[in-house]
Amino acid sequence: MNAPHSTGAPAAPPAAARPDALLPLLGADEDAVAYFAGVADLDATAPCSHLLEDGIRLASGARLEQFARAASGDAFCFVGEGGEERPVVYVSLDGEAGPLALGLPELLRLCLAVPWWRDAPGRTAGELEAVAGEYRQDVPGLDRRRDRAARALGLGPAGLPSGAAALARLAELSRGPVAAACRVVGSEGEVFDPLFGALHARP
């Protein structure tokens, strides 16, 4: 089949290049929902049900806005004012919290590259390979589902970080100034424990 002739008009930018384009797709696109809610445990399909427990807030006083949740009830939250470029903090019902990404696109790339990121802290490289292998056994067609979700969101499978790079970025955020600015406190003023107290894998 011949390729269509160019009309001279600029091509529409991918979804990831347009402000605040990802979150609606994340909650409605069939391929995106199948991967993120079904594989990566990031469910953005019912925004009205995504409400933090009373009293959970940022120590800085900045806004903490939940936009998705895990099956456990843990929360994915934006920090501050703005759109999808805001830092993302994960708030666990177990009293742990910490930054995952600087912006929704980075979070989604993390989940596409390493959907088992919650199991990373303290594990050796060999142990992480075993975790990845278990995921692949438990999720038939994992790579195909990942690639379809990435394309649906305009992220592109070829542009995803390696698993090692994605986890290194998590480690960087967990010990840097972003973590200090994103401290979460509970209703009694208790400071949540760091989400990744031992993210660096042993050799």
Side-chain angles (χ1 to χ4, degrees), residues 35 108-116 136 146 160-163 166:
Y35 180 85
L108 300 185
R109 290 187 176 96
L110 165 69
C111 292
L112 288 162
V114 196
W116 50 86
R136 293 186 182 282
R146 176 202 64 205
L160 298 182
S162 67

Side-chain angles (χ1 to χ4, degrees), residues 5 15 26-28 58 86 110-111 116 126 130 153 161:
H5 294 291
L26 188 62
L58 287 173
R86 288 176 286 173
L110 165 69
C111 292
W116 50 86
L153 297 177

Side-chain angles (χ1 to χ4, degrees), residues 5-157:
H5 294 291
S6 171
T7 62
R18 298 194 298 271
D20 299 327
L22 288 172
L23 192 54
L25 288 173
L26 188 62
D29 181 87
E30 182 178 351
D31 289 331
V33 171
Y35 180 85
F36 285 97
V39 177
D41 198 17
L42 192 167
D43 186 351
T45 58
C48 292
S49 69
H50 301 157
L51 299 174
L52 284 171
E53 292 184 5
D54 290 342
I56 295 178
R57 63 196 187 281
L58 287 173
S60 67
R63 184 183 183 191
L64 189 62
E65 177 190 351
Q66 184 174 353
F67 64 88
R69 65 180 179 181
S72 63
D74 294 352
F76 294 86
C77 303
F78 286 127
V79 172
E81 303 293 336
E84 295 177 356
E85 80 287 351
R86 288 176 286 173
V88 176
V89 166
Y90 189 84
V91 180
S92 168
L93 296 180
D94 294 329
E96 298 176 338
L100 297 182
L102 295 183
L104 186 58
E106 185 176 52
L107 172 68
L108 300 185
R109 290 187 176 96
L110 165 69
C111 292
L112 288 162
V114 196
W116 50 86
W117 58 266
R118 294 171 185 81
D119 297 323
R123 294 184 186 271
T124 65
E127 289 168 344
L128 287 174
E129 288 182 7
V131 171
E134 291 173 3
Y135 248 78
R136 293 186 182 282
Q137 290 180 355
D138 293 340
V139 184
L142 175 61
D143 290 346
R144 175 180 54 80
R145 294 172 69 175
R146 176 202 64 205
D147 291 352
R148 290 179 64 174
R151 292 190 184 97
L153 297 177
L155 298 175

